[in-house]
Amino acid sequence: SLIGAAAISGAAVAPSMGRLNLKTTNALLAAFNARLGVWVPNPASAKQDRMAAPRVINMFKEIFGVYGNTDPNVYATDGGHWENLGMVELIRKKCDLIIAIDTSGDLPGTYRAFKDAIALSFLECEATIEIDESEWNAMVPGEDGLVPRNFVRGTIVYDDDTEGELLYVKAAVSRSTPLAVQRYAAGDRTFPNYSTANQMLSDTQLTNLFKLGFASM
């Protein structure tokens, strides 16, 4: 289900975390069941059975870090362990238009998740992302912490010289954000970059996050 997929995508701690390999700690996470990943039916398996439950052997696969691309079940966890925006997989498919929505908790003005995705797109797909300097400048926060606007447009040049469009939207307070949200952000310098470790946001914090997301899009 959509809700189930959303829950799996937030699995922050797991024995298999892509580029964030914890080495021997992975085995401990699996052995003590201190992980949030989920075994799901593998679409690439010839023996796919949506009702097949993961077996005990799957636990040993987690402990030893051995995973098969065609096994009946595949280990699913947070995609951010590889690349936080999901851009690279869309670039691999050579989409004509990609809309990347960034709600990661990067420090204001750093856009680390976006820059990581740009670098990984080149390394894995040999695709370059061209963004004019004027577009980047529009995302630089001022002394008041506000950005002129919270999106940039760019061009994706694929390895076969075909091109695609990129629209990147960042959850940042801009000068066009409703004044009520701007005022709230002025009093809460952490907004909207709350840590995912904070699972006890107040109604006011959540309401302003919703309003910012709606205004940003």
Side-chain angles (χ1 to χ4, degrees):
S1 68
L2 181 61
I3 296 299
I8 292 171
S9 72
V13 179
S16 176
M17 295 202 295
R19 294 183 295 142
L20 306 178
N21 194 319
L22 300 178
K23 299 182 179 179
T24 54
T25 305
N26 293 341
L28 292 175
L29 291 173
F32 288 97
N33 196 27
R35 87 286 192 277
L36 300 174
V38 178
W39 286 94
V40 296
N42 184 2
S45 173
K47 300 178 181 178
Q48 184 183 7
D49 180 359
R50 294 190 62 84
M51 302 303 294
R55 303 176 185 274
V56 176
I57 192 174
N58 292 88
M59 181 184 70
F60 290 99
K61 288 182 178 180
E62 291 183 43
I63 291 174
F64 294 106
V66 178
Y67 304 94
N69 292 337
T70 58
D71 289 350
N73 291 290
V74 64
Y75 191 72
T77 183
D78 185 352
H81 295 150
W82 191 253
E83 187 265 298
N84 219 23
L85 303 184
M87 260 177 54
V88 174
E89 292 309 310
L90 295 177
I91 287 175
R92 201 187 308 278
K93 296 178 183 296
K94 299 182 179 179
C95 297
D96 294 328
L97 171 64
I98 295 175
I99 301 175
I101 304 170
D102 185 357
T103 60
S104 57
D106 296 337
L107 292 175
T110 61
Y111 309 109
R112 179 178 174 182
F114 186 39
K115 292 176 181 177
D116 284 349
I118 291 174
L120 202 58
S121 297
F122 179 75
L123 289 173
E124 291 201 0
C125 308
E126 297 183 6
T128 57
I129 296 176
E130 300 174 350
I131 299 174
D132 290 340
E133 186 176 355
S134 60
E135 292 283 315
W136 275 119
N137 291 339
M139 296 278 283
V140 177
E143 293 182 0
D144 56 1
L146 302 179
V147 294
R149 68 168 194 245
N150 64 340
F151 66 91
V152 296
R153 290 164 293 200
T155 301
I156 309 164
V157 182
Y158 295 111
D159 58 351
D160 59 0
D161 291 330
T162 59
E163 295 185 354
E165 294 180 73
L166 173 67
L167 172 62
Y168 167 78
V169 184
K170 174 66 175 176
V173 183
S174 71
R175 303 198 188 285
S176 62
T177 300
L179 284 176
V181 179
Q182 289 189 35
R183 293 191 186 103
Y184 179 79
D188 181 357
R189 286 298 184 178
T190 307
F191 178 86
N193 302 307
Y194 301 124
S195 168
T196 52
N198 183 0
Q199 296 292 301
M200 301 297 289
L201 295 178
S202 67
D203 287 344
T204 302
Q205 290 171 319
L206 282 172
T207 299
N208 280 282
L209 283 174
F210 295 149
K211 288 181 178 179
L212 175 63
F214 186 83
S216 297
M217 295 312 300

